[in-house]
Amino acid sequence: MTSLTPLAAQITTDLGTRLAAEQKSAEVTDWAARVGWLVGLALFIALVYWLMREGWKWRGTLQGDLPELPDAPEEPGAARLTMSGRYHGSTTAGQWLDRIVAHGLGTRSRVELTLTDAGLDVVRPGAADFFVPLTQVREARLDKGIAGKVLSEGGLLVVTWEHGDKLIDSGFRSDHAAEHTEWVETLNHMIDKSSDIDQSSDTEGAR
C-alpha cells in the first residue's frame, strides 16, 4: 500500500483543522443562543412579576374605601381558644377568588389566633396584625379553598366577619387541622349567644 504524498497529507491536515474550527465555532454559537434564551426568559419573568405587582397595587387602590382594621383591646379577657398556623388570605364573602389586599389582608403569613369574649385576635409575624370584634363575626365554617389556595376538604377554618359595609371571609389553617372543628363550634356558639343577648336587649328596650 503506497504512502500518502506530501500534497495528500497537507490536504488531510487542512481538512482536519477546518473541521475542528467549524466544531469550535458551532460550540460558541450554541453558547450564545443559550445565553440569549436565558436572558429572554429572565426578562419575561420580570415582566410577569411587574404586571402581578401592578395588579396587586391597583386592586388595593380599588379597595381604598375599606376602613382601617381595628386593634385588639388592652384587656380582651381570658383566652377561650388559641391556634398556631397559617393565614391564607381574605376575600369578599362567598367569592373565594375575589382577594382583598387592602391593609395587608392579602399577605399570607404565619399566624397566632386567640379567641376571647371580646373577639378574634389575629397576630401575624412579619405582617399587619388585626382584631375582629365578636359583634362583627357572622359565621365560622370549614372549607377547602380561599384566595386561590386550595386544600383538602375541611382543611381551612373560614371566618366571615363584617367590616365597614363589607362582608369578609378570612381563611386560616391550624398546624393541627383537628382543631378546626372545635373552633367552628365555639365561634358559632358565641355568635348565637351574642345574637340572643342583643335581641333580648332590643326587646327590653322596646318595652
Side-chain angles (χ1 to χ4, degrees):
M1 183 176 181
T2 60
S3 59
L4 293 175
T5 64
L7 179 60
Q10 182 64 38
I11 293 175
T12 301
T13 301
D14 291 345
L15 181 59
T17 302
R18 183 176 298 178
L19 289 174
E22 290 178 354
Q23 183 177 3
K24 184 176 181 180
S25 176
E27 290 176 354
V28 172
T29 303
D30 288 343
W31 274 111
R34 290 175 185 176
V35 170
W37 185 84
L38 290 174
V39 170
L41 180 61
L43 290 174
F44 175 76
I45 292 174
L47 176 62
V48 170
Y49 176 79
W50 181 81
L51 290 173
M52 290 174 61
R53 184 176 180 181
E54 290 301 305
W56 188 280
K57 290 167 63 177
W58 176 246
R59 182 177 286 269
T61 300
L62 293 178
Q63 297 167 355
D65 58 342
L66 193 69
E68 289 291 332
L69 301 175
D71 295 323
E74 293 184 2
E75 298 182 1
R80 285 176 172 263
L81 291 173
T82 59
M83 174 196 294
S84 295
R86 294 200 65 83
Y87 168 80
H88 284 289
S90 294
T91 65
T92 301
Q95 302 180 38
W96 75 288
L97 290 176
D98 187 16
R99 184 193 294 270
I100 295 175
V101 303
H103 307 308
L105 287 176
T107 304
R108 291 175 177 165
S109 64
R110 290 289 301 173
V111 70
E112 297 290 335
L113 285 183
T114 303
L115 176 63
T116 68
D117 288 336
L120 187 64
D121 190 16
V122 184
V123 177
R124 300 191 294 156
D129 302 337
F130 61 96
F131 182 78
V132 182
L134 184 62
T135 55
Q136 292 176 215
V137 181
R138 297 292 175 261
E139 179 192 15
R141 69 179 188 275
L142 298 179
D143 213 322
K144 64 178 181 179
I146 194 166
K149 180 69 175 181
V150 179
L151 299 169
S152 59
E153 189 69 40
L156 278 174
L157 166 66
V158 177
V159 179
T160 302
W161 52 291
E162 186 174 1
H163 186 52
D165 59 354
K166 195 176 189 67
L167 279 178
I168 299 173
D169 281 345
S170 293
F172 308 92
R173 180 173 175 81
S174 172
D175 291 334
H176 307 285
E179 297 178 340
H180 292 171
T181 300
E182 183 181 8
W183 272 80
V184 169
E185 292 175 352
T186 302
L187 269 167
N188 285 330
H189 175 73
M190 293 175 68
I191 294 167
D192 292 341
K193 186 177 179 180
S194 178
S195 298
D196 291 341
I197 292 174
D198 290 341
Q199 291 176 4
S200 178
S201 299
D202 292 342
T203 302
E204 291 179 1
R207 292 177 182 174

